[in-house]
Amino acid sequence: MKKLIFNLLIVSGIIISCNNQNKTPDIQASKQPDSLAATKENKKVDSTVPNTNAAFPIKDILSGYFSLKNALAKDNGNDAAAAGNSLLSTLNKINTEALNNEQQKIYAGLQDDLKENAEHIGKNAGKIEHQREHFEMLSKDLIDLVKTFGNGGQTLYKDFCPMANNSKGASWLSEFKEIKNPYMGSKMPGCGSIKEEIK
Amino acid sequence: MKIIKRILLILAVGFILIQFVRPGKNNNTNLTASDITNTLHVPDSVLSILKVACFDCHSNNTRYPWYANFQPVGWFMANHITNGKKRLNFNEFGLLPIRRQQSKLKSIASQINDNDMPLPSYKWIHHDARLSDNNKKLIIEWAERSMDSLSQKN
């Protein structure tokens, strides 16, 4: 009898302590914070270094985006997913404290969308059309990002295909002049035209 | 035999004890300024579908069935609700930047179209969440119209 009670007490203790972690869903935290409080690093900005766009890894982001784009253009969902995941890690490492107020505001408005689109692309290796839907939103975000943070020192081309996105049209950024459509892939690789050169 | 009896007894006691660990309830009926109806035009036909098929996990107010008072069912529900609200909360839709709102609408259309949402487990129990083709069409078309109207602003 003593042994039984002892066993029951141990089991109860384990159950209660394990489950206290599940107690209350945090109802207040439902809103996605687009503030920068999430940044954990407390890097001190070196006052001798000018606060240029070098603080923001636009080159790495663009590079990740281009890998993604090129994979979609080749109808390769697996490579696109890998590129999406890689882009997401780049985005997660960004330290916004080195940016000026204006840049912080703009990035704050885009960061959640960028990350979520990259994440969805990363998770949908087998559903290339779904990846392309998210790529459309991601491209809009990248285009806005480039407006604020620059082109990373390379000439970029803003392309547009009127047939993509259920014929509503969709844009993308490219690092080369040739049209290699990420939305249509091998079905119609040349569909689209350059709308803007970003030097 | 004695061991089996002992195990069963421990399970029974365990089951009773976990009933004392209750997750908080998601109940708040206040209509917020950021509610989706204050942000976009949502026809009644669409809103009524959203309410029965989506709001339990994607709003600040969940309709709890009687069995939600029992654990571990209550925990599973709390988990679904926390995750659901994190991804999309119709009561706080207006707080999102416009680009985000567009992305969310796109995801809504896409997930309804692919039958990824409502969750299969939710549909087993909630028969009114099993959307007819017509209802799905209503939501998808509303989401697309709303995205277009936001494009005018973006």
Side-chain angles (χ1 to χ4, degrees), chain A residues 124-184:
Chain A
N124 282 283
K127 293 185 186 174
I128 197 165
E129 289 314 315
H130 200 67
Q131 289 175 315
R132 283 170 169 152
E133 282 174 9
H134 284 284
F135 182 73
E136 193 256 327
M137 305 296 313
L138 185 72
S139 298
K140 281 189 181 159
D141 292 337
L142 254 296
I143 289 168
D144 282 351
L145 212 59
V146 164
K147 282 190 194 143
T148 301
F149 294 99
N151 57 14
Q154 53 189 320
T155 301
L156 301 179
Y157 304 92
K158 184 174 147 189
D159 300 334
F160 178 78
C161 165
M163 289 178 62
N165 190 23
N166 295 327
S167 300
K168 288 190 218 164
S171 300
W172 72 95
L173 280 176
S174 183
E175 70 277 37
F176 44 71
K177 272 191 174 174
E178 194 188 342
I179 299 289
K180 288 189 186 169
N181 193 317
Y183 298 106
M184 312 298 267

Side-chain angles (χ1 to χ4, degrees), chain A residues 46-97:
Chain A
D46 185 349
S47 55
T48 59
V49 176
N51 193 5
T52 62
N53 290 335
F56 189 81
I58 188 69
K59 269 185 118 167
D60 290 338
I61 293 174
L62 282 167
S63 159
Y65 171 82
F66 294 141
S67 302
L68 218 188
K69 165 186 69 84
N70 295 334
L72 289 175
K74 292 188 192 129
D75 298 319
N76 190 332
N78 289 331
D79 283 355
N85 286 327
S86 170
L87 179 57
L88 180 62
S89 356
T90 305
L91 292 167
N92 281 332
K93 288 187 199 140
I94 292 178
N95 174 17
T96 50
E97 289 194 11

